[in-house]
Amino acid sequence: MKKQTTARFLVLSSVIASAYVVLTYISAALGLAYGGVQFRVSEALNILAVFTPAAIPGLTIGCFISNISSPFPLDMLFGTLATLLSVITIRMIAKIFKTATPYLCVLPPSIFNAVIIGLQITLFTDETASLTAFLISALSVFIGEFAVCTALGIPLYFVFKSHANKLL
């Protein structure tokens, strides 16, 4: 029984990672996946951490693979770190709060990405890195992340909530 559970976890993590990569590459083809203004459709999948712990390695690995194509080489490290912190926090929020979970869960990816990616953009692309440049970058990343997580992640939450037994 334990082997079946482990295999299921690995398959589910792999499917989530694959979905993240495909959706990121679609966003990249539209010019929306990398840079100061990001609308990665794949970020909506962060909400899956509410439903399964398999989303943590799945989204983290998916983000790492997606960021191999980033114009920012350090995105593999910093972007992946932001995703890892986001999905761990979402999982913790889901365990603590049972009501209003999807609305709280859009905040960790928005905040972690704003700070980490905003700092990365400021330090590695702006020759005159300043607090103002960081705040502009962070705000830009926050808006894109929050928009995707809210507009796509919250509806995805309700789809999974009503079909989680069949889908997961």
Side-chain angles (χ1 to χ4, degrees):
M1 187 67 166
K2 179 75 172 160
K3 287 183 181 180
Q4 183 181 18
T5 304
T6 302
R8 183 177 173 83
F9 182 89
L10 290 173
V11 168
L12 189 53
S13 291
S14 299
V15 168
I16 292 169
S18 299
Y20 188 98
V21 170
V22 168
L23 291 172
T24 299
Y25 287 162
I26 290 170
S27 297
L30 299 171
L32 300 173
Y34 307 105
V37 179
Q38 298 182 14
F39 291 97
R40 279 190 186 187
V41 174
S42 52
E43 288 295 302
L45 298 177
N46 285 325
I47 202 72
L48 296 179
V50 170
F51 300 102
T52 177
I56 295 171
L59 292 167
T60 303
I61 292 166
C63 182
F64 178 81
I65 292 168
S66 296
N67 286 340
I68 290 171
S69 298
S70 173
F72 305 103
L74 291 174
D75 218 8
M76 287 186 291
L77 173 65
F78 294 117
T80 303
L81 175 64
T83 295
L84 177 61
L85 293 173
S86 296
V87 293
I88 288 171
T89 305
I90 288 170
R91 189 83 186 139
M92 290 175 13
I93 288 170
K95 288 183 174 207
I96 296 169
F97 301 98
K98 298 299 180 192
T99 59
T101 299
Y103 305 103
L104 292 173
C105 290
V106 300
L107 294 175
S110 301
I111 294 168
F112 283 118
N113 278 287
V115 172
I116 294 170
I117 303 305
L119 189 59
Q120 174 188 295
I121 291 169
T122 303
L123 292 178
F124 299 110
T125 63
D126 190 349
E127 292 177 14
T128 59
S130 65
L131 178 60
T132 303
F134 165 70
L135 292 174
I136 291 168
S137 293
L139 181 61
S140 174
V141 172
F142 180 89
I143 290 169
E145 189 75 22
F146 188 78
V148 168
C149 289
T150 302
L152 301 176
I154 290 175
L156 187 62
Y157 168 87
F158 288 108
V159 167
F160 269 85
K161 184 177 178 188
S162 60
H163 296 79
N165 291 338
K166 297 175 200 168
L167 299 171
L168 303 174

